[in-house]
Amino acid sequence: MKRLITLTTVAGLMLLFLLLAPSVMAADNETYMVDVVDGSSLLIRDEPSGNGKVIGNLQNGDMVTVFDEAYGWAKTYYDNQVGWVASQYLVPLEQGHDSLHKRKQTAMYKKQNVSKSAENKAMQKENSDAVKNEQEQNQTVEPLTGYTIVLDAGHGGKDPGAIGFDGTYEKDLTLTTAFKVAQNLEASGANIVMTREDDTYISLENRIKLSNRSNTDAFISFHYNSFPVSTVGGISTYHYTDSEDLELAEYIQSGIVDHVSLKDKGTKRADYRVLKKNSDLSVLIELGFISNPAELGVIKTETYQDKVAAGISEGIQHYFSN
């Protein structure tokens, strides 16, 4: 009786195993494809057991011909000997191709997403940096923004001004200086009005009228001096009133002498017509003596013109920033 019960139990267990065995194993002598989800290799053992000796391995996508099955293991041949592999990692050939194709597509999709994500982040950072730079630029206000400065290059046309011992005309030097100062002041945000931009004669009256109708914040007149005694030299800045005109003259004079080595002759009060009749803040600068051979040699150089322009521009900026 006990023997009968035992046999019945064994038969029941075998039937249950057959019912639960993987459905992928359709028949013997069929070809299957290795389909390991995590991409690892499939071990081949010498018996249908996890304790069997490993005699080889198969990679994802390898083809396997199955001759038999036992206890969830598929029998095949490997290197002229019988081998067993876990049948749960074998799928019919067509199904295996579909599975691998889907996984490749998924991997490619993920890779593309990662790439796109990286590109998006890079673009977002670039856009963010561009917006930040634009905001910073918009927030940066140049020191002379909103100010109108009239630059008056003395003499011009039929009026050469002073003439140096070598034939240098004052009108040429003043125009060169005015253009350099204009460039500096425009870089600082100022609106520049020139009384003349070429070798044209402009009367003193017309220079004053241009200044008075230009909503001028400051009128700066450029000149180079002359004197019968050739050793006389130096730089000076003139003003008419002793209030704001004087203050601007002091800032400009200080700015110039900080950049050049010519003698500092200071600020002086004078009733030059372009100052006396001008309703705006105004000064007149004498930037050296072209009657002095030593000074003329310096005055005509590009270096001197650049330094003088820098000093005048700094003086104007300091005045309006205080």
Coordinates of all heavy atoms in Angstrom, one line a residue, residues 22 24-25 33-36 42-45 47-50 58 64 66 69-76 83-91:
P22 N 8.4 25.4 -19.0 CA 8.3 26.6 -19.9 C 7.8 26.2 -21.2 O 8.1 25.2 -21.8 CB 9.8 27.0 -20.0 CG 10.5 26.5 -18.8 CD 9.8 25.2 -18.4
V24 N 8.2 27.6 -24.0 CA 9.0 28.0 -25.1 C 9.6 26.7 -25.8 O 10.0 26.8 -26.9 CB 10.1 28.9 -24.7 CG1 9.5 30.3 -24.3 CG2 11.0 28.3 -23.6
M25 N 9.7 25.7 -25.0 CA 10.3 24.5 -25.6 C 9.2 23.7 -26.3 O 8.5 22.9 -25.8 CB 10.9 23.6 -24.5 CG 12.0 24.4 -23.6 SD 13.3 25.0 -24.6 CE 14.0 23.6 -25.3
M33 N 16.9 30.4 -29.8 CA 17.9 31.5 -29.7 C 18.1 31.8 -28.2 O 17.2 31.8 -27.4 CB 17.4 32.8 -30.4 CG 18.3 34.0 -30.2 SD 17.7 35.5 -31.1 CE 18.1 35.0 -32.8
V34 N 19.4 32.0 -27.9 CA 19.7 32.4 -26.5 C 19.2 33.9 -26.3 O 19.5 34.8 -27.1 CB 21.2 32.3 -26.2 CG1 21.5 32.9 -24.8 CG2 21.7 30.9 -26.4
D35 N 18.4 34.0 -25.2 CA 17.8 35.3 -25.0 C 17.9 35.6 -23.5 O 17.0 35.4 -22.7 CB 16.3 35.4 -25.4 CG 15.7 36.8 -25.3 OD1 16.5 37.8 -25.2 OD2 14.5 36.9 -25.2
V36 N 19.1 36.1 -23.0 CA 19.3 36.4 -21.6 C 19.1 37.9 -21.5 O 19.7 38.8 -22.1 CB 20.8 36.1 -21.2 CG1 21.0 36.4 -19.7 CG2 21.1 34.6 -21.5
L42 N 25.1 32.5 -21.2 CA 24.4 31.4 -20.7 C 25.3 30.2 -20.5 O 26.0 29.8 -21.5 CB 23.3 31.0 -21.7 CG 22.4 29.8 -21.4 CD1 21.6 30.0 -20.1 CD2 21.4 29.6 -22.5
L43 N 25.4 29.7 -19.3 CA 26.4 28.6 -19.0 C 25.9 27.3 -19.6 O 24.7 27.0 -19.5 CB 26.6 28.5 -17.5 CG 27.2 29.8 -16.9 CD1 27.4 29.5 -15.4 CD2 28.5 30.2 -17.5
I44 N 26.8 26.5 -20.1 CA 26.5 25.1 -20.5 C 27.1 24.1 -19.5 O 28.3 24.2 -19.2 CB 27.1 24.8 -21.9 CG1 26.7 25.9 -22.9 CG2 26.8 23.4 -22.4 CD1 27.4 25.8 -24.3
R45 N 26.3 23.3 -19.0 CA 26.8 22.3 -17.9 C 26.7 20.9 -18.4 O 26.0 20.6 -19.4 CB 25.9 22.5 -16.7 CG 26.0 23.9 -16.1 CD 25.2 24.0 -14.8 NE 25.3 25.4 -14.3 CZ 26.2 25.9 -13.5 NH1 27.2 25.1 -13.2 NH2 26.2 27.2 -13.1
E47 N 25.5 18.3 -16.9 CA 24.3 17.6 -16.5 C 23.2 18.6 -16.2 O 23.5 19.8 -16.0 CB 24.6 16.8 -15.2 CG 25.1 17.7 -14.0 CD 25.4 16.8 -12.8 OE1 26.1 15.8 -12.9 OE2 24.8 17.2 -11.7
P48 N 21.9 18.2 -16.3 CA 20.8 19.1 -16.1 C 20.6 19.6 -14.6 O 19.7 19.2 -14.0 CB 19.6 18.3 -16.6 CG 20.0 16.9 -16.3 CD 21.5 16.8 -16.5
S49 N 21.6 20.3 -14.2 CA 21.6 20.7 -12.8 C 22.5 22.0 -12.6 O 23.5 22.1 -13.3 CB 22.1 19.6 -11.8 OG 22.3 20.1 -10.5
G50 N 22.1 22.8 -11.7 CA 22.9 24.0 -11.4 C 24.2 23.6 -10.8 O 25.1 24.4 -10.7
L58 N 27.2 30.3 -23.8 CA 26.6 30.9 -25.0 C 26.3 32.4 -24.8 O 26.0 32.8 -23.7 CB 25.4 30.1 -25.4 CG 25.5 28.6 -25.7 CD1 24.2 28.0 -25.8 CD2 26.3 28.4 -27.0
V64 N 20.9 27.5 -30.7 CA 21.0 26.3 -30.0 C 20.0 25.3 -30.6 O 18.8 25.6 -30.7 CB 20.8 26.5 -28.5 CG1 20.9 25.1 -27.8 CG2 21.7 27.5 -27.9
V66 N 18.1 21.9 -29.8 CA 17.6 21.2 -28.6 C 17.2 19.8 -29.0 O 16.4 19.6 -29.9 CB 16.5 22.0 -27.9 CG1 16.0 21.1 -26.7 CG2 17.0 23.3 -27.4
E69 N 14.8 17.5 -23.2 CA 14.5 18.5 -22.1 C 14.3 17.7 -20.9 O 13.7 16.6 -20.9 CB 13.3 19.3 -22.4 CG 13.1 20.4 -21.3 CD 11.8 21.1 -21.5 OE1 11.0 20.8 -22.4 OE2 11.6 22.1 -20.7
A70 N 14.8 18.2 -19.7 CA 14.6 17.5 -18.5 C 14.7 18.5 -17.3 O 15.7 19.2 -17.2 CB 15.6 16.4 -18.3
Y71 N 13.6 18.5 -16.5 CA 13.6 19.4 -15.3 C 14.0 20.8 -15.6 O 14.7 21.5 -14.8 CB 14.6 18.8 -14.3 CG 14.5 17.3 -14.1 CD1 15.6 16.5 -14.4 CD2 13.3 16.7 -13.7 CE1 15.5 15.1 -14.3 CE2 13.2 15.3 -13.5 CZ 14.3 14.5 -13.8 OH 14.2 13.2 -13.7
G72 N 13.5 21.4 -16.7 CA 13.8 22.8 -17.0 C 15.1 23.0 -17.7 O 15.5 24.1 -17.8
W73 N 15.8 22.0 -18.1 CA 17.1 22.1 -18.8 C 16.9 21.5 -20.2 O 16.2 20.5 -20.4 CB 18.2 21.3 -18.0 CG 18.5 21.9 -16.7 CD1 17.8 21.8 -15.5 CD2 19.6 22.8 -16.4 NE1 18.4 22.5 -14.5 CE2 19.5 23.1 -15.0 CE3 20.6 23.3 -17.2 CZ2 20.4 23.9 -14.4 CZ3 21.6 24.1 -16.5 CH2 21.4 24.4 -15.2
A74 N 17.6 22.1 -21.1 CA 17.5 21.7 -22.5 C 18.8 21.0 -22.9 O 19.9 21.5 -22.6 CB 17.3 22.9 -23.4
K75 N 18.7 19.9 -23.6 CA 19.9 19.1 -23.9 C 20.4 19.6 -25.3 O 19.6 19.7 -26.3 CB 19.5 17.6 -23.9 CG 20.7 16.7 -24.3 CD 20.2 15.3 -24.3 CE 21.3 14.3 -24.8 NZ 20.9 12.9 -24.8
T76 N 21.6 19.8 -25.4 CA 22.2 20.1 -26.7 C 23.6 19.5 -26.8 O 24.0 18.7 -25.9 CB 22.3 21.6 -26.9 OG1 22.8 21.9 -28.2 CG2 23.2 22.3 -25.8
G83 N 25.6 18.6 -23.6 CA 25.6 19.8 -22.6 C 24.2 20.2 -22.3 O 23.2 19.8 -23.1
W84 N 24.0 20.8 -21.2 CA 22.7 21.2 -20.8 C 22.7 22.8 -20.4 O 23.6 23.3 -19.8 CB 22.3 20.5 -19.5 CG 22.1 19.0 -19.8 CD1 23.1 18.1 -19.7 CD2 20.9 18.3 -20.0 NE1 22.7 16.8 -20.0 CE2 21.3 16.9 -20.2 CE3 19.6 18.6 -20.2 CZ2 20.4 15.9 -20.5 CZ3 18.7 17.7 -20.5 CH2 19.1 16.3 -20.6
V85 N 21.6 23.4 -20.9 CA 21.4 24.8 -20.6 C 20.0 25.1 -20.0 O 19.1 24.3 -20.3 CB 21.6 25.7 -21.9 CG1 23.0 25.6 -22.4 CG2 20.6 25.3 -22.9
A86 N 19.9 26.1 -19.2 CA 18.6 26.4 -18.6 C 17.6 26.8 -19.8 O 17.9 27.8 -20.5 CB 18.7 27.5 -17.6
S87 N 16.5 26.1 -19.9 CA 15.6 26.3 -21.0 C 14.8 27.6 -20.9 O 14.3 28.1 -21.9 CB 14.6 25.1 -21.1 OG 13.8 25.1 -19.9
Q88 N 14.8 28.2 -19.7 CA 14.1 29.5 -19.6 C 14.7 30.6 -20.4 O 14.1 31.6 -20.6 CB 14.0 29.8 -18.1 CG 15.3 30.2 -17.5 CD 15.2 30.3 -16.0 OE1 15.1 29.2 -15.3 NE2 15.3 31.5 -15.5
Y89 N 16.0 30.4 -20.8 CA 16.7 31.5 -21.5 C 16.7 31.2 -23.0 O 17.5 31.8 -23.8 CB 18.1 31.6 -21.0 CG 18.1 32.1 -19.6 CD1 18.7 31.2 -18.6 CD2 17.6 33.3 -19.2 CE1 18.7 31.6 -17.2 CE2 17.6 33.7 -17.8 CZ 18.2 32.9 -16.9 OH 18.2 33.2 -15.6
L90 N 15.9 30.2 -23.5 CA 15.8 29.9 -24.9 C 14.4 30.2 -25.4 O 13.4 29.9 -24.7 CB 16.1 28.4 -25.1 CG 17.4 27.8 -24.6 CD1 17.5 26.3 -24.9 CD2 18.6 28.5 -25.3
V91 N 14.4 30.8 -26.5 CA 13.1 31.2 -27.1 C 13.1 30.8 -28.6 O 14.2 30.6 -29.2 CB 12.8 32.7 -27.0 CG1 12.7 33.1 -25.6 CG2 13.9 33.5 -27.7

